[in-house]
Amino acid sequence: MSISTSNSTPKNASSGTSTDSKNGTMSATTTTEATRRPHLSGMTWLVWRQHRAAFWTILAATALSVAWIVYQRGQMMDFLDGYGYPANSLDEVGNEFQQYGDAFSYVSTGLTAIPILLGVFLGAPLLAGDLENGTAKLVAAQSASRTRWLATKLGLTTLVVAVITVALSAAFGWWWSPVKSEVTVMDWTSSEAFNTTGPVPVALTLLSVIGGVAIGAVLRRTLMSMVVTFGFTVVLQLVWSSFILSLGNVITVTTNKGVIAENSFPTLPDGVYQIDESYITSSGKLLGWSTCAEGDSDAVREVCLKKADVVGWSVDYLPMSQMNGMQWFGASILFALTAGIAVFLFFWGRKRLV
């Protein structure tokens, strides 16, 4: 009797083994699939693909802007080190620092326009375009819910906006920090400084973008939504800028050594924003600083001030040390408004985003 054996050929793709052709033995091998790179899938992939041109443009422009800011800071620091700052005051530098001051002005103006630009060109069309061309109906007919679609749209857009604004805010604040106390370079209470550093640009841009999304969802027409969003973001900037000073705690300092003598005016910390100055009488009453005209001689002014019972100055100001607290307080208000609009979108959009 003969015994026959049959050798089965192993399938390397499924079993992970291979045959040694020399001795006919089976040797185990480790088969690994090609390493996959992290990639988006499902609804996230769909939303990214739909808006990838806008997202990549924004991210690329941000990267170039940050690189330019880093270069400008290096140039400025070389100048300041050579000049001997801060031992030597910039008040005596003349026009040599003007180019760096102009650079601050140009960049800060551009950064203050970002909430408006993103609100109009990213936020307003985000849902309005889908509602106008029928894409929203197509999505609603699929297995994914409208809530998930809306959450992905807002989530991915919010992430991109947060990344670019955090990067620009950090870069610009880092550039400005060496000369932050120099009012001649940039006043910290101005919108060009306050709205472009810290958490404020993030919060202000998110409110502009999510506000634009809500406007687009309600109006359902892209062009009309962009026009209305432009008006909304401009008004938001104006109202917010007028609201900045009320975020801080005003400090009042008074003197009682007259107002004409040398060094009679109170000494204020560097970089303060002076809100008001008045004469103060012995009874504590405040009088306008023009009570006794500046054009009169010192002798006439002294008689006038004595008659008015003026004993010194009363000065109201905001110190720069409050800037960070004011920014976070203001940003928390903006974040709360943004969250409120987002909640409205979810409750309203569950039935009407078709």
Side-chain angles (χ1 to χ4, degrees), residues 221-238:
R221 293 292 182 271
T222 303
L223 184 58
M224 183 185 301
S225 300
M226 293 174 71
V227 173
V228 175
T229 300
F230 176 78
F232 164 73
T233 52
V234 170
V235 171
L236 175 63
Q237 292 269 11
L238 294 175

Side-chain angles (χ1 to χ4, degrees), residues 134-270:
T135 304
K137 292 184 178 180
L138 178 62
V139 172
Q142 306 304 312
S143 58
S145 66
R146 282 172 288 183
T147 300
R148 181 185 173 190
W149 173 63
L150 179 59
T152 306
K153 280 254 188 182
L154 293 182
L156 198 54
T157 302
T158 297
L159 177 62
V160 171
V161 171
V163 167
I164 66 169
T165 48
V166 167
L168 290 171
S169 172
F172 188 70
W174 179 61
W175 180 21
W176 180 41
S177 59
V179 291
K180 189 174 182 178
S181 61
E182 300 290 338
V183 179
T184 55
V185 176
M186 196 162 58
D187 181 6
W188 68 271
T189 60
S190 66
S191 59
E192 289 78 10
F194 196 88
N195 294 345
T196 56
T197 58
V200 173
V202 184
L204 196 57
T205 306
L206 284 176
L207 178 56
S208 299
V209 171
I210 302 302
V213 174
I215 292 171
V218 173
L219 297 181
R220 308 171 73 91
R221 293 292 182 271
T222 303
L223 184 58
M224 183 185 301
S225 300
M226 293 174 71
V227 173
V228 175
T229 300
F230 176 78
F232 164 73
T233 52
V234 170
V235 171
L236 175 63
Q237 292 269 11
L238 294 175
V239 172
W240 172 252
S241 296
S242 65
F243 184 68
I244 289 176
L245 295 181
S246 62
L247 298 172
N249 297 316
V250 178
I251 296 177
T252 300
V253 60
T254 60
T255 62
N256 58 2
K257 298 179 180 179
V259 296
I260 294 181
E262 187 177 356
N263 299 324
S264 60
F265 196 82
T267 302
L268 304 179
D270 293 336

